[in-house]
Amino acid sequence: RHIVKLMVEIANPQFGDRVYDPTCGTGGFLIQAFNHIKRSCKTTSSNLKTLKEETVFGRELIYTGSIAKMNMIITGDGHTNIIQMDSLEAPVKNHYDVVLANPPYAQITDYGDLYPIHSIQADPIFLQHIMLSLNDNGKAAVIVPEGVLYRKGADKKVRELLLTKYNLIAIISLPSESFVPYASAKTYILMFQKGSQTKKVWF
């Protein structure tokens, strides 16, 4: 939860932003973003309607999407924008202002040919999905396994794309085994923004 809170604070979504998590699980990022935005705006009926219906959007492959919907209802709503599906089979382009995500690591995908840099490995495809989904000046905070920063092949090509077409603002190293027992991989948070080339990275 403290990592989720940190990432939302760094991304700092504002009222009127559309926030997306393509691998939303039980809704942790979306709930934190919803509450973050709610604290920063006036609680008028019009604003609450925008928050409930036009602010948070999520996709989840497995049944935990239903738990995310329930959690969103308890939080204040937004559940109608959570869909159970494989996010990678339906690329989104220029649609969201903020993306917050912790995609699953070391997966295989059948949909890599739908993205500019093809791969059957899901790590570089998830990152491309997030990059493509951002509006101009949109921001993302994404947890990635260490290999995304060092591997050759598709991962290297995606890194080049990230550095030349996006502003990679920061790379934040997380302690080893931060997500045990769910995953043991060494991980990092990537913070980037669409619309300008990378000139300097804070590590």
Side-chain angles (χ1 to χ4, degrees):
R1 289 181 183 272
H2 57 286
I3 294 172
V4 169
K5 185 173 185 290
L6 168 70
M7 290 171 63
V8 171
E9 288 177 355
I10 291 172
N12 193 25
Q14 300 295 303
F15 181 77
D17 284 347
R18 294 163 64 90
V19 181
Y20 174 53
D21 182 351
T23 54
C24 70
T26 57
F29 281 119
L30 299 180
I31 290 166
Q32 188 69 34
F34 183 98
N35 288 331
H36 178 89
I37 295 169
K38 188 175 181 180
R39 286 193 296 269
S40 69
C41 69
K42 294 181 179 179
T43 54
T44 64
S45 58
S46 175
N47 285 356
L48 288 174
K49 179 178 172 62
T50 299
L51 267 173
K52 292 177 180 180
E53 299 177 8
E54 302 171 29
T55 299
V56 293
F57 299 82
R59 296 177 177 178
E60 175 53 45
L61 178 62
I62 60 174
Y63 69 92
T64 49
S66 299
I67 300 173
K69 286 192 173 199
M70 179 185 69
N71 287 339
M72 290 307 303
I73 292 169
I74 293 168
T75 297
D77 229 325
H79 73 282
T80 55
N81 297 324
I82 295 174
I83 303 167
Q84 184 169 334
M85 64 176 294
D86 186 337
S87 293
L88 298 182
E89 70 175 295
V92 186
K93 295 185 179 179
N94 308 315
H95 201 65
Y96 298 106
D97 303 290
V98 176
V99 179
L100 299 154
N102 181 15
Y105 317 139
Q107 304 290 307
I108 300 296
T109 180
D110 295 326
Y111 305 109
D113 58 349
L114 300 179
Y115 295 84
I117 298 165
H118 299 178
S119 178
I120 63 168
Q121 301 298 325
D123 291 345
I125 303 302
F126 270 121
L127 194 50
Q128 288 182 86
H129 179 90
I130 291 163
M131 292 159 68
L132 290 171
S133 73
L134 290 171
N135 287 329
D136 287 340
N137 299 314
K139 296 177 290 187
V142 185
I143 297 173
V144 298
E146 187 171 41
V148 169
L149 301 183
Y150 300 110
R151 285 190 299 246
K152 296 181 179 180
D155 289 287
K156 181 180 179 181
K157 291 178 181 177
V158 173
R159 289 196 304 273
E160 291 171 348
L161 184 64
L162 186 60
L163 292 171
T164 55
K165 302 296 184 182
Y166 297 76
N167 178 18
L168 179 58
I169 299 164
I171 300 172
I172 302 170
S173 174
L174 296 176
S176 296
E177 301 185 342
S178 290
F179 299 102
V180 168
Y182 307 106
S184 59
K186 168 68 177 166
T187 54
Y188 295 79
I189 301 169
L190 302 186
M191 179 72 197
F192 56 90
Q193 188 167 20
K194 185 177 179 181
S196 62
Q197 192 175 60
T198 303
K199 293 183 174 61
K200 185 177 181 180
V201 182
W202 180 70
F203 188 94

